Amino acid sequence: MTAPSAKQGIAVEQAVVYGLLTALGLITLVIALGYGLFLEDFRIGPGLVPAVVGGLTALVAGWELIATLRGQRTPHDKGLAEIVAAAADAPPGGASTEDDLPGGSLPSGEQAGAGADDDGLDIFGRTAAMRGRQLVIVFVALTLAVVLVPLIGFLVSFFFLSFFISAVVERRSWIASAIVSFAVVAAIYVVFVLFLHVPLPTGLIGIGG
Amino acid sequence: MLDNLVLGFSTALSTENLLWCFVGVLIGTVVGVLPGLGSTTGVAVLLPLTLSLDPVTGLIMLAGIYYGSQYGGTITSVLISTPGEASSVVTTLDGYQMARQGRAGAALAISAIGSFVAAIISLGLLVALAPPFAKFALDFGPPEMLAVMVLGLATIISFAGDNRKLGLLMALVGLLVATVGVEPGSGTSRFTFGSIYLLGGIPFVEVMIGLFAVGEVLYQIREGAAAPIKAGFRELMISKADLKRSTGPILRGSFLGFLFGILPGAGSTLASFMAYGIEKRVSKRGHEFGTGAIEGVAAPESANNAAANANFVPTLTLGIPGGATTAVLLGAFMINGIQPGPLLFDEQPVLVWGLLASFFIGNVILLVLNLPLAPVFAQILRVPYGYMYPLILVTSLVGAYSISNSMFSVWIVLIFGIIGYFMKRLDLPMAPLVLGLVLGPLFEKALVQTSAIGDGNIGIVFTRPLALVVISLAIIQIVAPSIMARLLRRRNTSRTRKTEEIPAADERAKESTHG
């Protein structure tokens, strides 16, 4: 379902993530050694658990890193559930005529989305690259909204966030986006401020305290 | 026992608790319907809302979301072959086929009935077994607790993902994150880098909101919008013959689900897969499975509900969560200042029995809601995702803020949102991380105490018979899948020349559709 470029992209991301985890494990191990592994008479000290866990993390992540760098796909060995389900499975049927069935993820996933293929277009005709850009835009907007909270307050900042995502990123109608965003913020004000008495930051302009 | 139930029902039937139970199961159903929102996300995002409520009331509502979502997850599995919950993945196999044959109504009805029967059976077992188990667990010392936690981690590593090495890695990362903050034994502050915020550790509800809500939303953006659904609806009625065919599967699914649910770390997804596999073996109509056999809906749907309830056995009696959602619920207990464990039944009878009684009431409400209204809930899917996900994002961040009234929580959510996105993208299993994070402090405490008992020798774990048995189970869990896979593969290759690879669930769904 994915073109070589997409696979390579994933492999690069995998290598980076495993590399970071290896580094994290090693750093943890080194720092933990400083906390002291054992107390008097070999009782467990504050450093032992982080050191062992950090060391193991570095080991497993390092192993995966090497496997990824050598171009080996991670072998998907199955757990008991899949094995039993597979063993009880009927032999696969004939030729496939419809490939549009959304698939379910394995139990590891919280859910399975019926999303578009990595390279395919989604229902709005957006390519994977466009969706990748969208993701970055949404994340930057999200971070910006959080940064702006001390300045313009929680509710104002998140009204703009919601409006920006609906109207600009998702290209919904401006009026509908404004109404939905206002409704969201109003509902949050009612629930959190009026009902739960959460002192949301109001920022310098002091809206919604 | 009867006194306890009376006490429980008198608590659960108060107007306030009844109302919040209703709200909980209703939200749970909606959360279950929405792909991209699982029960873990639902409970994590709404947990902050319940902090102003009485602890009993708040927990009743959160638990309602949990088991309500087990019902809701089925609706989309059947109608659009997109499970709203991981535990409903296996239902897509036969449920969606039934829907394509115009029998969506029967499939939804049987899963609601099966879920209900399973809930009542498993609740009966829960009520009967939990208190004696809690008494039994009173004798558990740190070595036994240590062994049980190892078992929990082993279970979740071997079952939660399709790659055990990655499961182990994620559990380790969870344990690692859990070591941040002041170490309780010696008071040493670890990995805080001078930040006062980190002294209390990395708050785990915020981590969950980040991983499950924000990470999920980001992942959905990258994946692209889902195809629109056309949920046509006819033939709501379920026939007598259907009911008769389903009785056996429902009963088997219920007991099997309960058995798997008790295992710490297992949970309802595993139970539903096992129930489907086993039902396929024992059923006279096993060969019809995958083509729209009602047994293939009844068994896993009963099992996942039974397991969701059984998950409360280790959570309440040992304080060791059964799965990711019960881990968040455990967090809800702790935020309210309640420590689940063997003493809970004696110390908090009103809370425990009120909660258990509310399960009965909640399931009755769910049956009433789901039998006629399932298609109505399916309409929620028509809300465009472009409006939905800003709402989820904003609610997650405000919810996180309200836990501690500090922006620190919001930043934690953002950071773990990115981490969650990459975990989903790279197929790294989340459940082991969550369990590692939750069990981390408990694990270390038990380890330190064990070493103190043994005068520096943790080997005493192996001198305690019960701990030894539990540890052996854990080892079997880790080793057994490889051995079983090898045996099965040998048998399969001798039987057919078919591919050696075990087809993944999505491929099975496709294949069975065409078969």
Side-chain angles (χ1 to χ4, degrees), chain A residues 13 35 46 74-77 80 83 86 88-90 101 106-112 116 122 131 139 170 196 199, chain B residues 52 82 86 159-160 162-165 190-191 216 218 222-225 269 280 389 401 418 425 488 502 508 513:
Chain A
E13 284 173 38
Y35 295 140
T74 337
H76 278 221
D77 55 340
L80 264 183
I83 288 166
D89 226 24
L101 268 185
L106 280 169
S108 58
E110 255 303 287
Q111 56 82 48
D122 73 354
R131 294 198 301 271
F139 190 76
E170 293 294 324
L196 297 178
Chain B
S52 65
T82 302
F159 287 133
D162 56 351
N163 184 319
R164 272 168 291 150
K165 225 181 296 150
R190 299 184 298 199
F191 310 110
E216 184 64 54
L218 295 177
R222 184 69 180 72
E223 279 296 283
T269 308
K280 189 166 186 166
Y389 77 79
Y401 178 86
I418 315 181
R425 183 158 164 77
L488 280 169
I502 296 157
R508 277 202 307 279
T513 334

Side-chain angles (χ1 to χ4, degrees), chain B residues 157-496:
Chain B
I157 289 167
S158 86
F159 287 133
D162 56 351
N163 184 319
R164 272 168 291 150
K165 225 181 296 150
L166 296 184
L168 172 66
L169 182 59
M170 288 301 110
L172 287 170
V173 172
L175 289 170
L176 211 55
V177 173
T179 58
V180 175
V182 175
E183 198 259 329
S186 60
T188 316
S189 59
R190 299 184 298 199
F191 310 110
T192 53
F193 308 105
S195 157
I196 49 161
Y197 292 112
L198 289 176
L199 283 178
I202 293 182
F204 98 103
V205 174
E206 284 88 326
V207 172
M208 306 285 190
I209 296 177
L211 289 179
F212 288 100
V214 176
E216 184 64 54
V217 165
L218 295 177
Y219 183 72
Q220 293 282 335
I221 296 173
R222 184 69 180 72
E223 279 296 283
I229 43 114
K230 301 168 242 48
F233 215 77
R234 270 168 256 113
E235 299 183 42
L236 194 78
M237 290 306 289
I238 178 164
S239 68
K240 262 201 185 128
D242 281 338
L243 278 177
K244 210 174 149 208
R245 274 174 69 174
S246 306
T247 314
I250 287 177
L251 292 178
R252 280 190 287 274
S254 302
F255 285 103
L256 202 73
F258 189 83
L259 277 181
F260 278 101
I262 306 183
L263 272 182
S268 47
T269 308
L270 167 72
S272 65
F273 269 86
M274 292 301 243
Y276 187 84
I278 290 176
E279 192 59 36
K280 189 166 186 166
R281 280 277 162 93
V282 301
S283 171
K284 274 181 295 195
R285 291 191 177 78
H287 58 280
E288 287 176 26
F289 271 47
T291 61
I294 199 162
E295 292 89 344
V297 177
E301 281 303 314
S302 312
N304 69 22
N305 243 45
N309 285 329
N311 250 223
F312 280 98
V313 174
T315 310
L316 293 177
T317 59
L318 296 175
I320 294 174
T325 314
T326 33
V328 186
L329 279 169
L330 189 78
F333 275 92
M334 289 172 174
I335 285 185
N336 278 304
I338 301 159
Q339 176 65 53
L343 295 172
L344 186 71
F345 282 77
D346 284 336
E347 285 174 356
Q348 301 271 358
V350 175
L351 180 121
V352 173
W353 292 103
L355 187 63
L356 293 181
S358 82
F359 291 1
F360 283 101
I361 298 162
N363 275 288
V364 173
I365 299 176
L366 279 166
L367 182 71
V368 175
L369 278 179
N370 272 271
L371 272 183
L373 293 182
V376 178
F377 283 117
Q379 303 307 315
I380 300 162
L381 289 165
R382 289 176 189 268
V383 177
Y385 199 59
Y387 294 130
M388 191 67 93
Y389 77 79
L391 171 71
I392 299 172
L393 286 177
V394 173
T395 317
S396 306
L397 294 180
V398 179
Y401 178 86
S402 71
I403 297 172
S404 60
N405 291 343
S406 112
M407 289 304 283
F408 173 69
S409 296
V410 177
W411 286 107
I412 294 281
V413 168
L414 266 189
I415 291 167
F416 278 87
I418 315 181
I419 294 175
Y421 165 75
F422 278 103
M423 286 178 70
K424 285 224 72 146
R425 183 158 164 77
L426 303 182
D427 241 349
L428 299 172
M430 292 204 187
L433 190 151
V434 171
L435 207 65
L437 180 61
V438 174
L439 290 187
L442 302 171
F443 181 78
E444 189 168 4
K445 195 173 138 208
L447 198 67
V448 169
Q449 287 171 342
T450 306
S451 97
I453 293 174
D455 279 328
N457 179 11
I458 338 175
I460 61 156
V461 171
F462 301 105
T463 62
R464 313 264 286 222
L466 193 62
L468 192 63
V469 170
V470 177
I471 290 273
S472 321
L473 275 178
I475 294 171
I476 292 172
Q477 292 238 341
I478 293 290
V479 183
S482 307
I483 297 171
M484 269 185 74
R486 197 156 296 166
L487 286 176
L488 280 169
R489 199 178 302 158
R490 194 171 298 161
R491 214 181 56 188
N492 283 348
T493 37
S494 64
R495 203 169 52 186
T496 62

